[in-house]
Amino acid sequence: MNTGPLRVSVDTDACCAMGRCADTEPRVFDQDEDTGTVVLLQAAPPPELHDTVRLCAELCPCTAITVTEE
Amino acid sequence: MTQDAASPKVTAAPSYPMERVSPIDPPPPLALLRSGPAASRITMWDGSPVWLVTAHPHVRSVLGDRRFTAVTSAPGFPMMTTTSVLVRDKPHTASFIRMDDPDHSRLRSMLTRDFLHGRAEAMRPVLREHLDEMLGRLTAGERPVDLVRGLTIPVPSRVIALLFGVSDEQRELIENRAGILIDRGYRPEQVAAARDELDGLLREVVEERMRMSEPGEDLLSRLVTDQVRTGKLTVEEMVPMCRLLLVAGHGTTTSQASLSLLSLVTDRDLADTLAKDPELLPKAVEELLRYHSIVQNGLARAALEDVQLGDVTIRAGEGVVVSLSAGNRDASVFPDPDTLDPTRDARRHLAFGHGIHQCLGQWLAKVELEEMLAAVLRWMPGARLAVPFADLDFRHEVSSYGLGALPVTW
């Protein structure tokens, strides 16, 4: 398992507001209350959140979450 | 599954949809195809050759790839049902599930806020009240009780009525026609007539809202106020949108609920686990979605350009069917896939599809399913099947696989 630094970015144009990310890892993702669009809470989450952040990227139906690992 | 890999049945483009052997498991040839190339040749019921995709990663990749169109009138698009043929021949009556972006997202985004996770959660208390009232009445009467007629049909139906703000009479008419659209047991002319009638009924409901000086708070009123009256949406676009919400939101929830409850009343371990630990319900519902995969024949797409899918090249203009049920039984993602395990993390399931068309109503569906299971556990502890399993009426002809009746006693 990769334990190096992990960066998250979100593409709000691609986001389809399904909210899978905010449900799966609410410490990293939130949703705009009105439109449901993703709000990124932290771009460099700590290692203990890496697994769920990767899962969020996988679950996102619209490929709006990008995870970069060194 | 005892067929060997060299079986000519598989190499000679098997016909599709395939037949089940066990009423609970997907057709056995799917497992064999899944271990082969990324896509296999099949022959659709109407004789046309298309590709079938069965492995989880490939299903996901097709549904997430915009080079595969959802437009039914596109060259090579597989005809899943008679309704697909109708949509192909009358493209202007297509709903946004049959469109690509940007048309699709322009229309879908008008509905996003009504189906947010928080909105679905907000419906839970009202739903629980309805359920207690329904089950109070059901359990006061004679046994056995049919949970399909008594619960899994009326619950999604009430939810739609709440969303749409339609009368019971309108609702019944509308649902009857909507049911015909997903049933392969009807003749093409019956399906065409039902679709026209349904559109007529929905147009009446929409026009009713248009005549009101102050439409209500329901979804249709809001669409009229925010979108139609501001010129962003035409009535011609709104009717197919309403039709989609009905067809996608009603029969599917009924089917998934009927099979989920079947698991609950036939699998003692599942019932005991959930009775002991109701906190497991959301997890169990995800697993039941994976396990039953009621959109039994999968989803259709067509390639707009040549696409390399694993070891197979899909050419522009070729049709593709992705099997959600095969992907959901893929052991590389779900170990021991043919076992229903309410404690497993099943969130990667494809029951709601993937990509821009992933089910808009998924949160609402999950709330409905959780609440229906919880209500049966509360009101009918120890519920069991009241007829032999072999006598159950599985609806093989319907796009969303389910039960015609579920007689239980307790």
Side-chain angles (χ1 to χ4, degrees), chain B residues 96-158:
Chain B
F96 62 77
I97 201 170
R98 315 266 196 172
M99 295 178 191
D100 294 340
D101 281 346
D103 301 333
H104 156 269
S105 72
R106 176 178 72 86
L107 296 169
R108 175 167 164 145
S109 65
M110 294 177 187
L111 298 170
T112 309
R113 67 191 63 193
D114 294 285
F115 293 93
L116 292 177
H117 190 182
R119 291 292 292 271
E121 286 299 332
M123 267 185 113
R124 206 185 275 274
V126 186
L127 191 57
R128 202 169 287 175
E129 252 173 60
H130 277 301
L131 277 163
D132 280 337
E133 178 211 308
M134 279 181 198
L135 279 150
R137 234 180 314 114
L138 279 178
T139 52
E142 276 179 38
R143 298 179 197 187
V145 161
D146 173 11
L147 287 182
V148 170
R149 217 176 49 179
L151 193 66
T152 70
I153 290 176
V155 168
S157 169
R158 284 219 187 161

Side-chain angles (χ1 to χ4, degrees), chain B residues 37-91:
Chain B
S40 320
R41 293 277 185 189
I42 51 165
T43 306
M44 293 299 280
W45 58 281
D46 63 355
S48 57
V50 308
W51 292 105
L52 180 70
V53 176
T54 47
H56 186 281
H58 298 312
V59 170
R60 202 176 158 275
S61 126
V62 169
L63 294 176
D65 189 333
R66 289 164 195 238
R67 291 174 297 172
F68 290 105
T69 179
V71 176
T72 313
S73 52
F77 200 90
M79 295 296 109
M80 297 295 277
T81 60
T82 304
T83 307
S84 331
V85 180
L86 290 171
V87 179
R88 182 189 58 193
D89 298 343
K90 292 183 179 175

Side-chain angles (χ1 to χ4, degrees), chain A residues 14 16-25 31-37 51-52 54-55 57-63, chain B residues 56 60 63-64 66 108 112-113 115-118 286 333 345 347-349 352 354-356 358-363 366:
Chain A
C16 46
M18 212 58 256
R20 300 293 303 271
C21 55
D23 179 59
T24 306
E25 188 41 270
Q31 276 183 285
D32 180 279
E33 238 173 76
D34 190 36
T35 62
T37 304
D51 279 350
T52 45
R54 286 186 204 105
L55 178 62
E58 195 186 326
L59 292 181
C60 176
C62 301
T63 334
Chain B
H56 186 281
R60 202 176 158 275
L63 294 176
R66 289 164 195 238
R108 175 167 164 145
T112 309
R113 67 191 63 193
F115 293 93
L116 292 177
H117 190 182
E286 297 283 3
V333 182
D345 181 359
R347 284 177 293 184
R348 286 181 175 86
H349 73 72
F352 291 125
H354 183 71
I356 59 169
Q358 192 181 65
C359 179
L360 176 66
Q362 58 186 280
W363 296 113
K366 289 195 269 199

